[in-house]
C-alpha cells in the first residue's frame, strides 16, 4: 500500500494510547489513506467544499470534527483533513497524521481577522511566523522557541495567490487560544484580562489573529516537515466590519484554491530539488510549474 507506515510498527512505548497497526483514534485513518500533501481547514464542512475542486476522490471519512478526503488535484495526490478549532485540535491531528505518513507537507487554509487597516475584508494573509499566544506548544518547546513557516511554503503560497489573481499580504500572525477574550474582544458578562490586545499586536505590525498557525508551525518544524498557512480575512478589527455571507464564500474559495495550488507548486519544487540533487530549493531551480 502507498505511504506504508514504518513507525507504527516500531512503537513499543506503553504510554502511547493506540494499539500498534490500528487506525488513528481521532481522525480514524490508517497507513496509506493520506497523501503526503495535505490541506488543513478548520471547519469540517469546508472539507466537502474543497473536495469539489478535486479531479478525483479515492477516500472520504469523517469522525468527530475530523473530516477527510483524499484524491487528486491537477495530477497531484492530495488530502484534506479538517482540524476543528484551536491549537489543541491541531496537536491531535498533526500527531496522528505523522504516525501514518512519511514526511507530509501541511498547508492550513482558514479564516482570520485583520489587525492592519490596509488589509481588507476578503484579502488573503500568508503567514511568515506566528506569535505564540496559546499554551499548547509550550508542552513541546521552550517559551522562546519561534513558530515560523517553511520558506518553501511561503514562496509557493505567494506564487499561487499571484497566479490566481488574489490580493495577498505576507507577515506575522498572532495565534490566540480563543475567539473572544483571548483576542481582546469584550464580553459583557466576563472580565477580559487584556482588552487592548488587538491594538498591542497591531502596534507590533502583526497582520492578523487566528487560532491554529503557531501549533502547526512548531510541530511541523520539530517533525522535519514543511508547513504554511494562508487565511482569508473575515473580520476587520480596526473598524469592526465583518464580511457578509456571500463575501465569506468568495474569500473561502480564494483561500482554498490558493492552498491547493500551493500544494501543487510545492510538489513541483520537490521534483526540482530531486533533479538538482539538493535538499534546499532555491529560485534558480524554478523552471515553471
Amino acid at each position: 500500500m502507498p505511504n506504508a507506515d514504518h513507525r507504527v510498527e516500531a512503537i513499543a512505548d506503553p504510554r502511547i494510547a493506540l494499539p500498534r497497526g490500528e487506525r488513528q483514534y481521532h481522525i480514524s485513518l490508517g497507513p496509506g489513506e493520506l497523501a503526503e500533501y495535505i490541506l488543513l481547514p478548520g471547519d469540517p464542512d469546508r472539507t466537502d467544499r474543497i473536495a469539489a475542486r478535486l479531479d478525483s476522490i479515492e477516500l472520504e471519512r469523517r469522525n468527530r470534527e475530523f473530516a477527510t478526503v483524499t484524491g487528486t488535484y491537477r495530477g497531484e495526490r492530495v488530502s484534506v483533513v479538517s482540524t476543528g478549532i484551536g491549537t489543541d485540535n491541531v496537536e491531535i491531528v498533526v500527531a496522528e497524521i505523522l504516525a501514518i505518513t512519511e514526511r507530509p507537507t501541511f498547508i492550513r487554509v482558514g479564516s482570520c481577522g485583520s489587525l492592519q487597516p490596509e488589509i481588507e475584508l476578503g484579502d488573503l494573509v500568508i503567514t511568515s511566523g506566528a506569535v505564540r499566544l496559546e499554551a499548547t506548544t509550550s508542552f513541546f518547546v521552550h517559551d522562546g522557541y519561534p513558530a515560523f513557516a517553511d520558506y518553501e511554503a511561503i514562496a509557493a503560497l505567494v506564487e499561487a495567490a499571484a497566479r490566481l489573481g488574489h490580493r495577498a499580504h505576507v507577515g506575522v500572525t498572532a495565534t490566540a487560544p480563543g475567539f473572544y477574550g483571548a483576542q481582546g474582544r469584550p464580553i459583557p458578562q466576563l472580565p477580559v484580562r487584556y482588552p487592548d490586545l488587538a491594538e498591542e499586536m497591531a502596534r507590533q505590525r502583526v497582520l492578523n489573529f487566528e487560532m491554529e498557525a503557531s501549533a502547526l508551525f512548531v510541530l511541523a518544524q520539530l517533525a522535519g516537515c514543511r508547513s504554511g498557512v494562508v487565511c482569508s480575512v473575515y473580520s476587520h478589527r480596526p473598524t469592526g466590519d465583518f464580511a457578509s455571507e456571500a463575501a465569506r464564500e468568495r474569500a473561502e474559495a480564494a483561500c482554498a484554491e490558493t492552498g491547493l495550488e500551493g500544494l501543487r507548486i510545492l510538489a513541483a519544487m520537490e521534483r526540482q530539488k530531486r533533479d538538482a540533487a539538493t535538499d534546499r530549493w532555491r529560485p534558480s531551480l524554478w523552471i515553471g510549474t
Side-chain angles (χ1 to χ4, degrees):
M1 182 174 286
N3 303 326
D5 178 10
H6 302 297
R7 282 174 289 183
V8 170
E9 294 302 321
I11 290 173
D13 191 332
R15 295 172 297 176
I16 296 174
L18 305 175
R20 287 183 290 177
E22 294 192 2
R23 291 188 183 281
Q24 297 298 296
Y25 180 68
H26 296 91
I27 62 176
S28 190
L29 297 168
E33 294 184 324
L34 285 179
E36 294 293 308
Y37 292 86
I38 303 172
L39 281 191
L40 299 175
D43 184 350
D45 291 337
R46 287 180 186 157
T47 297
D48 291 337
R49 295 192 287 272
I50 296 171
R53 298 176 176 275
L54 302 185
D55 302 320
S56 64
I57 294 175
E58 65 183 73
L59 175 141
E60 294 180 273
R61 185 162 298 134
R62 184 163 180 164
N63 187 52
R64 303 187 185 192
E65 62 264 57
F66 309 112
T68 299
V69 171
T70 295
T72 58
Y73 174 75
R74 299 185 65 185
E76 301 296 341
R77 188 171 186 252
V78 300
S79 292
V80 185
V81 183
S82 63
T83 64
I85 297 174
T87 55
D88 51 344
N89 272 20
V90 169
E91 187 248 18
I92 290 170
V93 171
V94 170
E96 295 190 0
I97 288 175
L98 291 174
I100 58 173
T101 55
E102 292 293 330
R103 186 175 176 266
T105 292
F106 299 105
I107 296 293
R108 162 165 153 71
V109 286
S111 58
C112 68
S114 70
L115 295 172
Q116 300 299 330
E118 69 274 15
I119 302 178
E120 301 174 358
L121 295 176
D123 285 358
L124 298 180
V125 176
I126 297 167
T127 299
S128 58
V131 182
R132 294 168 51 213
L133 298 177
E134 40 76 29
T136 303
T137 52
S138 294
F139 288 88
F140 293 86
V141 294
H142 187 277
D143 286 345
Y145 191 95
F148 55 94
D150 183 88
Y151 79 96
E152 293 180 10
I154 297 171
L157 289 170
V158 169
E159 177 67 19
R163 289 183 185 184
L164 295 165
H166 299 315
R167 180 174 143 107
H169 309 263
V170 181
V172 177
T173 287
T175 297
F179 186 79
Y180 294 102
Q183 295 185 28
R185 286 186 168 97
I187 306 173
Q189 302 89 345
L190 298 171
V192 176
R193 188 176 181 188
Y194 303 111
D196 299 323
L197 183 60
E199 291 78 8
E200 180 182 349
M201 290 292 102
R203 286 195 299 272
Q204 296 175 30
R205 291 301 302 165
V206 173
L207 301 190
N208 60 326
F209 266 133
E210 57 82 75
M211 297 171 60
E212 288 85 23
S214 61
L216 176 60
F217 291 154
V218 169
L219 298 180
Q221 171 67 18
L222 292 176
C225 299
R226 296 181 297 184
S227 68
V229 170
V230 56
C231 290
S232 50
V233 176
Y234 281 14
S235 67
H236 191 261
R237 295 295 297 271
T239 61
D241 291 339
F242 197 80
S244 66
E245 182 177 356
R248 293 197 302 274
E249 289 176 358
R250 290 192 297 270
E252 179 187 287
C255 189
E257 64 181 7
T258 299
L260 284 169
E261 184 67 9
L263 286 181
R264 195 180 75 84
I265 292 169
L266 281 163
M269 292 163 74
E270 196 67 23
R271 289 190 290 271
Q272 292 167 6
K273 290 190 295 184
R274 186 169 60 248
D275 291 344
T278 181
D279 60 353
R280 295 186 180 90
W281 184 85
R282 57 187 188 272
S284 61
L285 297 180
W286 197 273
I287 55 176
T289 55

